[in-house]
Amino acid sequence: MDSDKKSLSERDICTKYITPAIVQTAGWDLHTQIREEVTFTAGRVYVRGKLVTRGESKRADYILSYKPNLKIAVIEAKDNNHSVGSGMQQALKYAEMLDIPFVYSSNGDAFLEHDNTVTSGMITREIPLDKFPTPAELWQRYCKWRNIDDELQPIVTQSYYDDGSGKSPRYYQQIAINRTVEAIAKGENRILLVMATGTGKTFTAFQIIWRLWKSKTKTRILFLADRNILIDQTKTNDFKPFGSAMTKITKRQVDKSYEIYLALYQGVSGTEEAKNIYKQFSRGFFDLIVIDECHRGSAADDSAWREILEYFSAATQIGLTATPKETKEVSNIDYFGEPIYIYSLKQGIEDGFLAPYKVVRIDIDKDLEGWQPAPGELDKYYQLIEDKLYTHKDINRTLVLENRDILVAKKITEFLKATNRFDKTIVFCEDIDHAERMRCALINENSDLVSQNRKYIMRITGDDEQGKAELDNFILPESSYPVIVTTSKLMTTGIDAQTCKLIVLDKNIGSMTEFKQIIGRGTRINEEFDKTYFTIIDFKKATKKFDDPDFDGEPVQIYEPKTGESPVPPDDDDGSTDNGNNIDDLPEKSGQKRVKFVPVDVDVNIISERTLYRSKDGKLITESIKDYTRKTVQQEFTTLDKFLRRWNAAEQKQAIIQELNEQGILLEALAQEVGKDFDPFDLICHVAFDQPALSRKERAKKVRQRDYFHKYSEKARAVIDGLLDKYADEGIENIENINDLRVQPFDKIGTPIEIVNLFGNKQKYLEALQELKNQLYMAS
C-alpha cells in the first residue's frame, strides 16, 4: 500500500487522503468552506526592453474559511515522497500574506500544524489524518485569539456583498475589510487604511460599509470625498447595490430620510456659517463617516475637513488614503492612529495587481545650469527682466523659455512616434499657463493627428469647462480621444486612468505625497487594452524621489538618453553606473498673479544622460539585458556545471525556460541582442558563463553527423529528422509537446497516434524524444 502511495501525484494525495480527512472526518463543507488550488496574486509583470511577461502567481493548495469572508486556515500539500512538514515553509509564507492564523502541511500520512494564535507552549504539532480540527474548533480558537465574544460574532461573521458573479474581494482587500470590521465591532472609532492607488480603496470601503450596515452595527453613513467625479463614480459603480437607501447631497439640499449619504466636502461646508449645511444634521446623526483621500487635509486643524469631522466626533471615522500625510502641520496618524492595514505600491507591483514602470530621465541645460539675463534685458513683452540667476525652480513659474516648451514637446512626440501615438498620456505642468503653452507646443508637433481630430491633445485644468468635460472620455478605455492631456493639479489624484501608458513630469514636485499620487495615475493594469506597464518621462529630476526611503515602489528601469538619442529606452546600455497637499488648479486671484518673464530666443539643449535600471535591492545601476541575465543566472546557478546538471536532468526544458522568465529574464529579448538562432541553453551558457554558443542549426547538424538514429525504422527516422528541422527553425520548446505532431511536416507521415506507434507506444516515443534532446546537448 505504501509503495502505491509513493507513486501518487500531489493532486492524487489531495483527492484520496487530504480532502476526505477534512470533509468526512473533520466536517468541513466542501462547497462553502473549502477552496482548492486558490490563486491569490496575479503574477508580477516583468519588463525587459519592449517585451513583457508575467511571473508565476501565488497559489495555495487549500484555503479553509469559517464563513466566505473569514479565511482561517491554509494547507500546503506534497506528494508522499516528501515528509509531512515539507510544505510548511511555503504555507507559512502564504499564511502571513493572507493574514491566516492556522497553517498546515501534509503528504497524505498526517498533518503538521503551526498555530499562530499560540504565544507560548506548543506552536507546532503533528496531527493524524483523522484528527484534523473541525470548523467549530478552529473558530473557537480564532475568537479567543481575536477577543471576539458571542455578542460580536454576528458583526464579524456578516458576509460581504455578493452580486452572484463569483467575484470576491482580493486577498488584501479582504484583510483590510476584516480588520476594520473587527476593530469597529470592538469599539475602535478612528481607523486609517493605507492602500496604494489602483488597489480598490472605494470597493474596499463599500464592502466595509455593507457589512456594518447589513449587520445593523452602523445605520447612517456619510462618505466624504473632495472631487465631484469621485462621488459620481462611487455612486454609479461600487456603491450601486445600496440602491434607494443612498443619496448624493447636491445643491446644498438635505433630506434626512436616507441611510447612506455621499457628499463633496466643499458641498457641505464653507467659509460662511450659512454654507455649513452639514450642521443641519444633528451631531449624532451619522454613526459612521468614511473619508476618501484623507491625506488631502482632513487632519489639519484649520481645514474644512477637520471641522466636519469634529462636528460628528461621536461617529466612527475611517480614513482612506494611498499616501498618509505626515508633516508638522498635518498628521493623519496623529488623528486616526497607526494604520490598521497597509497595502503598498511595492506589494501591489510584486503581486501583479499594479503596473511596473520605466523612467526616461531627460536633463535640460538651463534647468541644471540656470539662466541669467544680460543687464537691462527686456523680454518679448518689453518687461525689464529682473537681474538674477534663474534656477530650475523658477522655470515655468517666473521664467518662460519658449524654446524649452518646443524641446519638451518634441521629446514627448518622439517617444510616442517610436511606441504608439495613441497611448493615453498625461503631461503634468507647473501651472495653468504652462499647461496651455504645452498644449500649443504639442499641437504643433502633432498637427497631422490634431487636424484629424482636435481632441487628440487637450488641456484639462480647473478653469477650463471644455477640458474638464473631456475628463471622462480620457479615463474611459474604450474612448480614443483625448489622447494627450496637459494639466497642473486637477489630475494628480482620484483619476482612474486605466489605460494611461505615459506620464510626463515637467513640474517641480516638492511633496512626496503629490509625487506618489501622480505616479499612481499610471499604476492600473488593463490587459484587455494592452496596458501592463507604463513609462515616466521626467524633465525635472522628480524621480530622484525613488531614492527616498519613503517611496516604496521601485521602477524597473531608469533611462537617461544621450544627446540626439531617442527617448525610447533601448533594450540595453553601456554598463556604466550611477550611484503635499493639492487643490484643483484654478485661475490666480486678481492682484496675486505672478510676474512671468519671457526672454527672446534662448537656446535650450539636452545634456548629461545615462541609462539606469532599478535592481532588486533598490539601488540604481546601469544594466543591460545581458548584465541582468548574467547576474540572475549566476545567483541561481553558481557554476556552469550546476546549470548543465539542472538542464540535462530536466525532462521538459520548457520548465527551466519558464523559471527564467519568472525571474525577469526575457529570452526573446536576449536572443534579439545576442543572436536569434541561439536557443535558451546557448543564450544562458554564452551570456552567463562565457561559453561559445552554437546556433540551433549547428546543433541539429552535429546530431545528424552522429547518425545515432539508424536503429529506427525508415518512417520513425523521418519523424526524428522532422523534429530536428523543427528544433533548428523554432527551438527546443516546440518539439517537447506531443501536440506538435499534428502540424507540418508530421501530418504527412500520419496522425499523432500513428506516429507514436512507429516507435512502439507513447512511452517509447517519449524515450526517443528524450534521447534526441540528450543528443542535442551531448557536447555540453
Side-chain angles (χ1 to χ4, degrees):
M1 181 65 182
D2 284 344
S3 60
D4 291 341
K5 201 173 190 179
K6 296 287 184 191
S7 67
L8 295 177
S9 68
E10 181 182 298
R11 191 83 309 256
D12 288 336
I13 291 292
C14 292
T15 303
K16 296 176 183 295
Y17 295 96
I18 298 176
T19 301
I22 301 168
V23 176
Q24 296 167 15
T25 307
W28 291 80
D29 189 293
L30 185 61
H31 301 290
T32 63
Q33 294 182 311
I34 300 172
R35 288 186 63 205
E36 295 186 55
E37 297 188 297
V38 183
T39 298
F40 59 91
T41 70
R44 181 179 179 132
V45 175
Y46 290 100
V47 184
R48 278 290 176 269
K50 295 179 182 178
L51 299 175
V52 178
T53 188
R54 271 197 186 270
E56 189 175 0
S57 56
K58 290 184 171 59
R59 187 183 69 179
D61 290 328
Y62 291 85
I63 291 180
L64 309 185
S65 302
Y66 182 68
K67 288 287 185 74
N69 55 294
L70 288 168
K71 298 179 174 70
I72 58 174
V74 60
I75 304 172
E76 193 62 27
K78 295 294 180 186
D79 65 42
N80 200 247
N81 293 296
H82 291 81
S83 67
V84 172
S86 285
M88 182 54 74
Q89 295 280 63
Q90 188 174 356
L92 285 168
K93 179 181 178 181
Y94 291 168
E96 183 178 22
M97 285 185 69
L98 296 167
D99 207 25
I100 289 176
F102 306 112
V103 193
Y104 299 89
S105 172
S106 178
N107 66 350
D109 289 338
F111 292 97
L112 183 67
E113 179 187 73
H114 183 103
D115 186 346
N116 284 312
T117 70
V118 175
T119 56
S120 63
M122 188 175 290
I123 295 176
T124 183
R125 59 174 180 150
E126 189 170 300
I127 303 171
L129 280 182
D130 60 356
K131 299 295 182 183
F132 191 83
T134 65
E137 182 184 342
L138 285 191
W139 178 242
Q140 186 178 20
R141 282 199 247 167
Y142 181 91
C143 289
K144 183 179 178 182
W145 175 51
R146 296 281 204 191
N147 296 316
I148 300 170
D149 58 27
D150 293 343
E151 186 179 346
L152 300 182
Q153 287 196 30
I155 305 171
V156 173
T157 58
Q158 175 65 50
S159 294
Y160 54 75
Y161 174 78
D162 184 353
D163 62 3
S165 67
K167 177 189 175 184
S168 61
R170 290 172 174 170
Y171 85 88
Y172 61 86
Q173 293 171 337
Q174 201 161 104
I175 294 171
I177 296 163
N178 288 346
R179 287 192 182 182
T180 302
V181 170
E182 282 190 20
I184 291 172
K186 288 186 278 192
E188 293 186 32
N189 283 321
R190 298 291 181 269
I191 292 168
L192 180 63
L193 278 175
V194 178
M195 297 173 65
T197 300
T199 56
K201 290 193 298 295
T202 310
F203 175 71
T204 301
F206 160 71
Q207 292 289 3
I208 291 168
I209 295 169
W210 178 269
R211 286 177 59 185
L212 294 170
W213 182 62
K214 293 297 283 186
S215 66
K216 302 190 184 307
T217 307
K218 303 294 179 184
T219 56
R220 285 189 177 132
I221 295 108
L222 174 63
F223 181 87
L224 274 176
D226 71 337
R227 293 282 173 84
N228 216 24
I229 189 171
L230 295 179
I231 295 291
D232 291 338
Q233 286 176 348
T234 299
K235 187 172 187 287
T236 57
N237 297 327
D238 289 327
F239 279 39
K240 187 178 180 180
F242 286 125
S244 60
M246 171 178 58
T247 187
K248 175 188 174 184
I249 299 176
T250 58
K251 298 180 180 178
R252 298 187 176 273
Q253 300 296 314
V254 169
D255 183 340
K256 300 178 184 178
S257 63
Y258 293 90
E259 297 174 69
I260 313 292
Y261 292 78
L262 310 181
L264 189 70
Y265 91 89
Q266 300 97 323
V268 296
S269 64
T271 55
E272 301 171 21
E273 187 65 22
K275 292 184 178 180
N276 287 328
I277 66 163
Y278 65 86
K279 292 187 177 179
Q280 293 181 36
F281 296 102
S282 67
R283 288 180 177 272
F285 186 85
F286 295 110
D287 47 22
L288 176 65
I289 299 178
V290 178
I291 309 97
D292 194 23
E293 305 292 356
C294 69
H295 65 277
R296 293 174 60 81
S298 62
D301 289 341
D302 59 348
S303 71
W305 290 89
R306 184 63 173 260
E307 291 176 16
I308 298 171
L309 297 186
E310 286 191 342
Y311 182 80
F312 297 115
S313 60
T316 298
Q317 296 173 5
I318 303 171
L320 305 174
T321 183
T323 51
K325 185 77 171 177
E326 296 304 315
T327 69
K328 291 179 180 179
E329 294 77 29
V330 179
S331 173
N332 293 121
I333 290 174
D334 179 60
Y335 184 83
F336 289 103
E338 291 290 336
I340 199 166
Y341 183 62
I342 297 174
Y343 189 72
S344 68
L345 173 63
K346 183 176 183 179
Q347 189 62 52
I349 292 173
E350 183 64 32
D351 288 343
F353 294 124
L354 295 180
Y357 46 93
K358 297 181 180 183
V359 172
V360 178
R361 191 178 285 163
I362 299 176
D363 293 332
I364 295 173
D365 56 357
K366 298 301 182 288
D367 293 51
L368 298 185
E369 300 164 2
W371 178 82
Q372 188 159 6
E377 184 172 345
L378 301 179
D379 76 353
K380 69 180 291 186
Y381 301 111
Y382 304 104
Q383 299 179 101
L384 178 63
I385 304 173
E386 182 183 351
D387 188 8
K388 70 168 194 174
L389 179 65
Y390 291 85
T391 69
H392 69 96
K393 291 184 179 180
D394 299 307
I395 291 173
N396 292 319
R397 292 182 64 81
T398 59
L399 184 74
V400 174
L401 301 177
E402 293 180 316
N403 286 337
R404 186 185 181 284
D405 294 341
I406 294 169
L407 181 59
V408 168
K410 282 183 182 294
K411 281 296 176 184
I412 295 170
T413 305
E414 187 181 334
F415 179 89
L416 289 171
K417 284 181 176 178
T419 52
N420 184 343
R421 294 183 75 186
F422 283 88
D423 281 349
K424 296 284 182 80
T425 300
I426 306 175
V427 184
F428 286 96
C429 302
E430 197 66 50
D431 55 20
I432 290 174
D433 171 60
H434 183 207
E436 175 59 21
R437 296 199 320 272
M438 283 309 307
R439 184 189 72 85
C440 294
L442 284 162
I443 284 174
N444 290 334
E445 292 298 323
N446 295 274
S447 55
D448 56 336
L449 294 183
V450 174
S451 65
Q452 295 174 26
N453 191 314
R454 68 176 180 83
K455 294 181 180 179
Y456 178 74
I457 299 167
M458 295 200 73
R459 170 169 63 93
I460 300 181
T461 49
D463 69 324
D464 189 285
E465 294 304 319
Q466 286 193 10
K468 287 195 290 186
E470 293 297 327
L471 184 55
D472 282 350
N473 287 328
F474 180 77
I475 292 169
L476 192 67
E478 293 81 7
S479 178
S480 299
Y481 298 96
V483 176
I484 303 173
V485 299
T486 65
T487 190
S488 172
K489 295 177 180 176
L490 183 63
M491 299 178 69
T492 58
T493 185
I495 304 302
D496 188 9
Q498 296 178 21
T499 55
C500 178
K501 292 186 179 180
L502 177 62
I503 287 176
V504 180
L505 304 179
D506 197 24
K507 66 178 294 184
N508 293 298
I509 304 173
S511 159
M512 178 63 76
T513 297
E514 183 181 9
F515 180 64
K516 285 185 176 182
Q517 289 290 335
I518 287 174
I519 299 306
R521 297 316 100 211
T523 54
R524 287 166 175 81
I525 287 176
N526 189 322
E527 293 185 83
E528 181 183 351
F529 288 86
D530 194 32
K531 163 66 186 302
T532 51
Y533 72 96
F534 67 106
T535 304
I536 303 164
I537 297 183
D538 177 17
F539 291 96
K540 285 288 192 176
K541 288 189 177 293
T543 52
K544 291 290 186 182
K545 291 187 184 296
F546 291 141
D547 299 326
D548 192 307
D550 287 341
F551 198 86
D552 63 8
E554 298 87 10
V556 295
Q557 180 185 10
I558 303 282
Y559 171 55
E560 299 184 358
K562 295 180 173 62
T563 304
E565 288 185 343
S566 167
V568 180
D571 290 347
D572 64 280
D573 195 58
D574 58 8
S576 61
T577 60
D578 182 12
N579 287 317
N581 283 345
N582 296 311
I583 58 172
D584 289 2
D585 40 357
L586 295 170
E588 295 168 88
K589 295 178 182 177
S590 177
Q592 296 182 340
K593 188 172 183 179
R594 277 196 307 268
V595 175
K596 291 189 177 182
F597 300 109
V598 189
V600 179
D601 202 24
V602 176
D603 283 338
V604 177
N605 299 289
I606 289 173
I607 59 171
S608 178
E609 297 112 10
R610 296 178 301 284
T611 300
L612 301 96
Y613 286 81
R614 178 73 60 168
S615 67
K616 288 183 178 178
D617 60 4
K619 302 216 188 286
L620 284 178
I621 56 172
T622 298
E623 191 167 56
S624 68
I625 290 178
K626 289 194 286 188
D627 292 337
Y628 181 85
T629 300
R630 183 182 301 111
K631 183 181 71 176
T632 305
V633 170
Q634 288 180 357
Q635 285 174 347
E636 182 73 17
F637 307 101
T638 53
T639 65
L640 173 62
D641 188 52
K642 288 183 179 178
F643 174 72
L644 294 178
R645 285 204 302 268
R646 174 79 171 85
W647 181 269
N648 290 326
E651 289 187 15
Q652 292 287 322
K653 312 304 181 190
Q654 181 60 35
I656 300 178
I657 294 168
Q658 181 61 31
E659 287 175 19
L660 295 170
N661 280 338
E662 287 167 5
Q663 294 183 61
I665 297 173
L666 295 191
L667 292 163
E668 185 178 344
L670 193 64
Q672 288 175 357
E673 182 176 329
V674 177
K676 290 185 179 181
D677 58 349
F678 294 148
D679 80 356
F681 174 83
D682 281 284
L683 287 171
I684 295 302
C685 289
H686 176 64
V687 171
F689 301 107
D690 298 318
Q691 297 299 303
L694 292 175
S695 69
R696 294 192 301 269
K697 285 184 171 58
E698 287 171 330
R699 286 195 174 277
K701 181 180 178 181
K702 285 180 176 292
V703 172
R704 287 193 172 95
Q705 287 172 343
R706 295 189 200 110
D707 193 27
Y708 85 93
F709 45 92
H710 66 274
K711 58 186 175 184
Y712 296 113
S713 69
E714 183 179 349
K715 281 193 171 183
R717 287 199 299 272
V719 173
I720 298 289
D721 204 52
L723 288 169
L724 277 171
D725 285 337
K726 194 170 182 64
Y727 163 80
D729 292 337
E730 301 175 19
I732 191 70
E733 312 96 295
N734 294 298
I735 69 170
E736 293 194 309
N737 192 326
I738 202 165
N739 289 324
D740 292 327
L741 297 178
R742 299 179 185 277
V743 299
Q744 292 184 343
F746 310 110
D747 56 346
K748 296 177 181 177
I749 300 174
T751 66
I753 293 176
E754 290 170 338
I755 291 173
V756 162
N757 288 337
L758 292 174
F759 294 84
N761 54 42
K762 181 180 179 181
Q763 183 59 38
K764 291 190 178 297
Y765 168 76
L766 293 175
E767 288 173 2
L769 179 60
Q770 186 60 44
E771 186 179 15
L772 174 61
K773 289 190 283 187
N774 291 342
Q775 288 288 328
L776 281 168
Y777 301 108
M778 180 180 288
S780 308

